[in-house]
Amino acid sequence: MDFTFSPQHAALRRMLRDFCQQELRPRAAQVDHTGQPDREILRWMGELGLFGVPFSQEYGGAGAGEIGYCILMEELNRVCPSTAAIIGAHIGIAAMSLYLDGSPALKRKYLPDLCAGRAIGAFGLTEPNAGSDAAAIQLRATLEGDAYFLDGQKMWITNGPIADLVMVLAVTDPALGAHGGATVFVVETNTAGFSAGKPEKKMGLHGSPTSVLNFDDVRVPKENVLGQVGLGFVTFMKTLDIGRVSLGAATLGGAEAALQASLRWVKARSQFGRPIANMQSIQFMLADMATEIEALRSLVYRTAWLVDTDRPFVKEAGMCKLLGSETASRCIDRALQIHGALGVSREFHIERGWRDARIGEIFEGTNEIQRIVIASELLQEIGVRIRP
Amino acid sequence: MNIVVLLRALRDPASFSVNRRAQKIFVHRDLHRLNPADHNALEAALALAGASAGGSVAALACGGEPAGEALYQARAMGAGRALWVKDEALQPADGAVVTRVVQQALARLGGADLVLLGADVLDADLAQVGPRLAAAQGWPFVEAGYRVRAAPASQGRLQVVLAKPGGYQAVEIGLPAVVSIAVDSNKPRYPSAPSIMRAYADLQALDVVSPAELGLDQAALAARVDRLGESFPPERTFGERLEGTLGDVVAQLAARLQR
Ligand SMILES: Cc1cc2nc3c(=O)[nH]c(=O)nc-3n(C[C@H](O)[C@H](O)[C@H](O)COP(=O)(O)OP(=O)(O)OC[C@H]3O[C@@H](n4cnc5c(N)ncnc54)[C@H](O)[C@@H]3O)c2cc1C
């Protein structure tokens, strides 16, 4: 067994740590206050190849694999969860679905722009009547001649208002429904009939715009079918499986930031004549945080290694998202408690971290859905098949 | 213009702590990074080469694995070549030895029009290699350059801007030359993620040689300086707090300033 990172992954982390601490951290509060993504830093990140970290260099990616991508998400989320959410939706689910199942021609057409950050991607699955029950989607795609026409609505789509390309799951055969009758399309957002709604007002991730997407007879050429007609649901579920690993890595970064802030504060703050680090109840919180973080780190990077070495990883990926989001929520909640009144101050970053972390338990499959995924994998191992 | 930049890796200040009472350094993690001023020298070299047609940058480092890491970083940032004089013992070697190694390495690199290096080193800070190398080669030396660029008027010369108290001074020198670069004089570029991955995937990214391959024998590598130990001065105590009414405090302050 070898738990060390390869020299190139260590070098990648060094660069990311420097970039995030020096360039991204100073802008994180502003991004949250204004609710505006920082276009300048996104452009810079594109130039540094951060929009295509896991993908092969053949398509303009960095070729750093799932491990490299997890390092990116961990470092981003440590300082600016809003920016991490933008990149997570862009790479982890939008570009990833194209990378996994797109034809070489479609990949050549769109991946280089996605990897360079010249085009921002979004992943359109959720609809007003299809949340956890993703198979209940209704957005219709009808074939007329050499193009499909899309009609319907998507909801809660990260990057919706800023996306250039949206991967959309639509029903192509209502008789079959999602299982066998749904198809993924790459939609250019400047196409007539497409519009994005106003950003939702969320408790956290203010700098990561999420919105409704409206499709009013949007024409999509046949060549923009991603993967096979009818098998789109499989593509999207596969994509979400992988996405859970990097989401776990992001939550790891959030939890680590909470612990680091706490360690600084317990040393600096004195009450009853001594630093609060001397109080056992504080020490126990620190010990619990550090222990959970260490467990999460092992799980996340081992699962990333499973992905990079083509081993089965679906059960572990669900665990990454489940353990990660709950660990991050617990850690930032303890950090808030440790900071006392400063913890709830809007002038300080703990409150922002607390708001940002909670969303991790909801999106990309609620934690209830993760438990279902993990249980169904477990039961399948003993020959029992379940349906949610 | 062929530019050679000398790099030195050192222990990351975040990876150890100094216990003055125990007079000891405690290393928590085996973490190294590029000496900050060398990082600025590398950026200056890349910018200068980028601005001149046919400019090239070769990075040079001697020592163990951390030196190799520094060179990968240089390749990822855009240095066209990297030469690693690989020898664990060279890490703490003194200025005289390093100068000899660099002279031989320059020959291996096919000479240089300009050698850049950091003006100071975080750990030892003896600032010897620059002037020693210049003296040994018979080249001019400028210390702590803030900006370097091709001299605007005269061909084949270099303009170096130095930060002076209250202003800047520009000097012009002929080439070849050695110029040390002031820390924080520029903002080093970040290597892109693809270029990091490419540098490590390239088996020829670094030219690795031993001191022996450069024609240096044990005698040439023998340190001139003996290291006897380390000593840490006590922590500076905090300033004094003046108490009393405003008038008292002002009077006390004035009395102290007069002393
Ligand atoms: C900030 C943000 C960004 C998002 N970004 C995207 C995006 O980019 N693309 C996209 O397609 N979607 C996105 N979503 C949508 C997200 O994936 C859904 O919100 C999520 O899947 C849950 O769906 P829902 O909100 O409709 O909740 P519901 O499905 O209505 O669930 C309500 C509650 O019921 C529980 N529940 C539902 N079914 C079961 C079951 N079978 N067993 C047990 N409990 C169950 C849930 O766990 C939850 O607690 C985003 C959401 C948010 C908040």
Side-chain angles (χ1 to χ4, degrees):
Chain A
M1 258 197 261
D2 182 356
F3 287 101
T4 54
F5 284 98
S6 69
Q8 54 266 54
H9 282 135
L12 180 65
R13 188 188 292 278
R14 259 199 313 275
M15 179 274 273
L16 289 168
R17 178 76 54 92
D18 287 348
F19 180 81
C20 291
Q21 297 294 330
Q22 290 162 23
E23 319 297 344
L24 198 51
R25 179 191 287 281
R27 306 178 192 223
Q30 173 82 356
V31 162
D32 178 67
H33 282 317
T34 60
Q36 296 290 329
D38 189 320
R39 287 296 193 144
E40 190 199 341
I41 199 122
L42 291 177
R43 193 178 39 74
W44 194 356
M45 289 168 64
E47 286 164 10
L48 293 176
L50 305 188
F51 278 66
V53 164
F55 308 127
S56 74
Q57 299 213 348
E58 185 191 350
Y59 294 110
E66 188 64 19
I67 293 180
Y69 177 40
C70 283
I71 293 171
L72 170 71
M73 291 304 289
E74 181 186 347
E75 295 301 328
L76 287 177
N77 211 56
R78 207 191 268 276
V79 300
C80 184
S82 285
T83 304
I86 292 173
I87 296 292
H90 170 91
I91 297 180
I93 43 184
M96 186 64 83
S97 60
L98 178 58
Y99 191 70
L100 288 179
D101 279 354
S103 66
L106 202 60
K107 288 199 229 181
R108 271 196 301 276
K109 184 171 177 194
Y110 290 119
L111 269 177
D113 280 346
L114 287 166
C115 288
R118 289 188 295 268
I120 292 184
F123 177 87
L125 172 62
T126 306
E127 294 182 8
N129 293 317
S132 299
D133 185 7
I137 55 158
Q138 294 164 333
L139 192 141
R140 269 287 270 146
T142 3
L143 182 62
E144 276 173 45
D146 58 356
Y148 284 87
F149 288 82
L150 272 56
D151 265 298
Q153 198 177 51
K154 293 289 174 186
M155 233 184 139
W156 290 106
I157 305 306
T158 303
N159 293 349
I162 58 171
D164 302 289
L165 296 173
V166 189
M167 316 296 153
V168 181
L169 186 69
V171 178
T172 37
D173 185 346
L176 290 171
H179 302 284
T183 306
V184 180
F185 297 88
V186 184
V187 179
E188 299 183 6
T189 58
N190 58 8
T191 312
F194 175 91
S195 65
K198 278 221 258 331
E200 303 288 347
K201 294 196 167 75
K202 311 188 292 293
M203 75 181 277
L205 299 180
H206 288 168
S208 153
T210 315
S211 75
V212 160
L213 303 181
N214 298 304
F215 295 80
D216 181 12
D217 237 10
V218 175
R219 183 181 182 280
V220 183
K222 256 173 150 175
E223 306 85 78
N224 278 24
V225 167
L226 196 168
Q228 284 187 47
V229 173
L231 296 186
F233 193 72
V234 179
T235 295
F236 263 29
M237 291 304 120
K238 259 198 320 204
T239 305
L240 288 173
D241 282 340
I242 283 209
R244 284 165 191 153
V245 186
S246 49
L247 199 61
T251 59
L252 172 63
E256 284 166 335
L259 175 59
Q260 291 309 318
S262 301
L263 287 170
R264 279 194 298 275
W265 184 243
V266 299
K267 199 170 142 189
R269 175 70 175 170
S270 282
Q271 282 296 280
F272 299 97
R274 55 199 181 139
I276 59 172
N278 289 289
M279 322 290 179
Q280 199 179 48
S281 58
I282 299 278
Q283 294 164 5
F284 281 15
M285 283 198 263
L286 298 174
D288 287 344
M289 279 196 241
T291 305
E292 290 171 22
I293 287 170
E294 204 50 50
L296 178 60
R297 194 194 329 271
S298 303
L299 176 64
V300 164
Y301 285 103
R302 178 171 173 278
T303 309
W305 170 82
L306 291 176
V307 174
D308 281 344
T309 53
D310 290 326
R311 290 171 160 86
F313 63 85
V314 172
K315 183 176 65 181
E316 289 81 358
M319 293 172 173
C320 286
K321 200 275 183 182
L322 173 63
L323 180 71
S325 57
E326 295 190 353
T327 297
S329 288
R330 275 196 300 271
C331 286
I332 190 70
D333 194 62
R334 292 187 188 112
L336 190 148
Q337 193 67 18
I338 285 172
H339 282 76
L342 186 60
V344 298
S345 165
R346 299 205 68 173
E347 307 288 325
F348 200 61
H349 61 93
I350 298 292
E351 173 264 356
R352 166 161 52 88
W354 192 87
R355 287 187 283 107
D356 288 344
R358 186 62 178 81
I359 298 175
E361 297 179 47
I362 308 275
F363 65 3
E364 292 200 32
T366 64
N367 284 8
E368 287 71 33
I369 296 303
Q370 303 310 320
R371 288 183 164 93
I372 291 171
V373 168
I374 296 163
S376 83
E377 290 288 316
L378 274 178
L379 293 170
Q380 211 163 304
E381 287 165 15
I382 57 163
V384 181
R385 285 192 66 86
I386 60 162
R387 279 176 51 86
Chain B
M1 189 188 303
N2 294 324
I3 308 169
V4 172
V5 55
L6 309 188
L7 302 181
R8 166 139 181 206
L10 32 86
R11 274 202 187 283
D12 191 318
S15 70
F16 63 87
S17 54
V18 176
N19 186 324
R20 291 166 200 269
R21 228 174 310 145
Q23 291 283 303
K24 255 196 188 139
I25 296 174
F26 290 95
V27 177
H28 313 302
R29 277 173 301 166
D30 199 24
L31 215 61
H32 290 77
R33 54 171 42 210
L34 187 55
N35 177 50
D38 296 358
H39 204 183
N40 296 115
L42 177 56
E43 174 58 35
L46 293 169
L48 187 58
S52 69
S56 76
V57 175
L60 169 61
C62 38
E65 294 299 328
E69 285 301 316
L71 291 173
Y72 275 113
Q73 184 179 347
R75 286 300 314 264
M77 282 172 68
R81 294 161 72 196
L83 178 60
W84 180 11
V85 185
K86 190 174 176 185
D87 187 342
E88 289 292 339
L90 279 175
Q91 199 89 322
D94 55 22
V97 175
V98 173
T99 303
R100 262 186 232 119
V101 174
V102 171
Q103 277 191 288
Q104 295 307 108
L106 284 181
R108 170 145 183 139
L109 285 167
D113 300 313
L114 176 64
V115 174
L116 297 182
L117 73 168
D120 44 26
V121 184
L122 269 193
D123 58 358
D125 204 15
L126 300 174
Q128 288 198 9
V129 174
R132 273 182 187 271
L133 178 66
Q137 299 280 92
W139 296 352
F141 172 67
V142 181
E143 186 173 22
Y146 201 76
R147 292 271 178 279
V148 281
R149 56 174 184 153
S154 33
Q155 272 274 311
R157 288 172 71 80
L158 195 73
Q159 188 190 67
V160 185
V161 175
L162 305 163
K164 294 283 174 193
Y168 294 91
Q169 182 186 42
V171 297
E172 229 181 78
I173 47 167
L175 297 175
V178 180
V179 176
S180 74
I181 300 294
V183 72
D184 288 340
S185 56
N186 56 34
K187 185 171 167 56
R189 65 198 66 189
Y190 294 96
S192 76
S195 65
I196 291 172
M197 301 309 288
R198 266 198 299 273
Y200 282 92
D202 177 2
L203 296 176
Q204 262 96 51
L206 312 186
D207 181 11
V208 188
V209 294
S210 67
E213 285 171 272
L214 291 179
L216 294 158
D217 56 15
Q218 280 311 311
L221 295 176
R224 294 255 190 100
V225 180
D226 285 335
R227 195 192 184 93
L228 299 179
E230 283 134 0
S231 157
F232 306 97
E235 194 102 45
R236 272 203 300 174
T237 47
F238 288 113
E240 196 183 339
R241 195 187 188 97
L242 303 179
E243 310 268 359
T245 64
L246 183 61
D248 282 351
V249 171
V250 171
Q252 287 178 55
L253 182 63
R256 276 182 175 68
L257 289 176
Q258 276 163 5
R259 266 212 303 255

